[in-house]
Amino acid sequence: MSGNKLSIRNGGGFLIWFGLLFFLPAIDIASKFLYAGKPITGADIFGGTLFTCVAIAMVFGRSGCTLDKDQRLMTRWWGLTFWPMSVKTTELSQLSEVLLVEETRSNKDSSYTVRAVYLVSGKDKVEWKAPGSYLQARKIAEDLSRFTQRPMNDKVTGHRREPNELDLPLGERLRRQGEPIKFISQPKDSVIVYRQESERVTFNVPQRWDWNNLGGLFALLCLLGMFWDTQFLMTQLGESGLYRLIAGIVLASLLFVGWQVKSSLGSRIEVTLTPRSLKSEIVGKLSSKQEIDLTKLEELDVVDDGAAWEARSDDRVIRFSGRLRADEIYWMRDTLEHFVHKFSKKVAV
């Protein structure tokens, strides 16, 4: 970004070094003619030209987009660094919004998820960038929204923001809506241990089972089964030794599963809201601590059809998914919003 211009360029990088390799056949043909005195055949000319064209495209090929406030234009181009082959311009006034969406893309071997940022003009949309990180894409989209003075439509979270509201804290947003969300009683038979003090609200909640480690154990056992050679092991260990090995593997697996279940049943998540911040951590696990300053907290939404809630700022996302029912998740979110409204009002005063 420079003054009243914002530009992006694609291409180059690793492709330059890879593209240089395609110059080698042409160099080989030229050296054969110039130094060895051998005649050049039609196949040599065709192959050398083809590889040279590919090399030039990879080494010098670029595409890009420039937003120019002075000329009030969006310019898209592609071609070579020394020869743009296509240039298309659009009036900045025709841009309607900055769009942020999550997309699954695929190549020949695999698929991957990106958070793509587009500039939308009528039915046309121009991709600006598509990083894998949501927070990175969010920052790019907000920068474009401020630069173009167009709304940011975040389809990932469902929020649409005007340029002057991008950094508006949730507390301020709730105050502008009027009265805070009504404080209601906790759902019946809730497993949440709820405590309220003058300037602190705490939720203590059972943690969800972590199936990742159990899945890893299952994958390890499957891999072991693929390479299991009973006859070889019988020869090396004998019959009794083989049985002891199998018993040891089974016992170790059962102990690991039991330890995982015990840890999941016993561990709890503590969510704390104060006038300073929203904090979440697994009790007794210091490395699990996540915290967002209340002045930077912008969104608090129920996601996954009531299975979890997310708190977001521009540089952090706290995702909460304890072993709770949907009505408990909604109650927890509403209670947090009630006190965010209350605490932020106190801070503002």
Side-chain angles (χ1 to χ4, degrees), residues 137-305:
R138 179 186 178 114
K139 183 181 185 307
I140 293 169
E142 289 191 355
D143 288 344
L144 285 173
S145 177
R146 293 188 190 94
F147 187 87
T148 61
Q149 286 298 295
R150 294 296 184 270
M152 185 187 86
N153 188 2
D154 186 346
K155 291 290 188 180
V156 177
T157 64
H159 290 278
R160 182 182 176 88
R161 301 275 188 260
E162 294 296 326
N164 62 341
E165 297 178 339
L166 293 173
D167 295 320
L168 195 66
L170 177 62
E172 176 64 24
R173 200 185 312 279
L174 293 172
R175 287 203 305 276
R176 291 186 181 185
Q177 294 174 3
E179 292 297 318
I181 292 178
K182 186 178 179 182
F183 184 69
I184 60 174
S185 59
Q186 191 170 346
K188 188 177 180 181
D189 300 324
S190 174
V191 297
I192 302 174
V193 178
Y194 171 69
R195 296 192 305 274
Q196 178 186 340
E197 304 169 18
S198 60
E199 291 192 346
R200 181 183 295 269
V201 179
T202 304
F203 305 82
N204 195 281
V205 182
Q207 185 186 7
R208 277 187 180 274
W209 287 26
D210 186 0
W211 293 103
N212 292 330
N213 290 335
L214 296 182
L217 173 63
F218 179 74
L220 180 62
L221 293 176
C222 289
L223 184 64
L224 180 64
M226 291 174 59
F227 296 97
W228 185 271
D229 190 332
T230 304
Q231 189 62 43
F232 174 79
L233 293 173
M234 180 81 75
T235 303
Q236 299 298 317
L237 303 176
E239 186 174 352
S240 60
L242 177 61
Y243 290 150
R244 283 196 295 269
L245 176 62
I246 294 174
I249 293 173
V250 172
L251 179 61
S253 300
L254 291 176
L255 288 174
F256 181 79
V257 171
W259 174 71
Q260 284 291 308
V261 172
K262 181 179 181 298
S263 299
S264 297
L265 289 175
S267 61
R268 298 181 71 86
I269 306 173
E270 188 168 87
V271 176
T272 305
L273 179 69
T274 67
R276 178 180 175 275
S277 66
L278 173 66
K279 181 175 67 175
S280 173
E281 62 181 327
I282 300 173
V283 178
K285 189 177 181 181
L286 295 178
S287 60
S288 65
K289 180 180 176 181
Q290 295 177 289
E291 188 170 10
I292 297 178
D293 192 299
L294 209 61
T295 60
K296 296 181 179 180
L297 176 64
E298 297 181 10
E299 298 157 8
L300 184 59
D301 299 321
V302 173
V303 296
D304 297 344
D305 297 324

Side-chain angles (χ1 to χ4, degrees), residues 21-32 44 47-49 51-52:
L21 298 177
F22 284 83
F23 279 119
L24 296 179
I27 295 174
D28 180 64
I29 293 171
S31 63
K32 182 171 63 175
D44 289 333
T49 303
F51 278 99
T52 301

Side-chain angles (χ1 to χ4, degrees), residues 305-325:
D305 297 324
W309 56 257
E310 283 187 355
R312 309 182 197 94
S313 68
D314 283 340
D315 56 5
R316 184 160 300 176
V317 175
I318 295 178
R319 180 181 177 85
F320 177 87
S321 56
R323 295 206 308 273
L324 299 177
R325 305 187 305 264

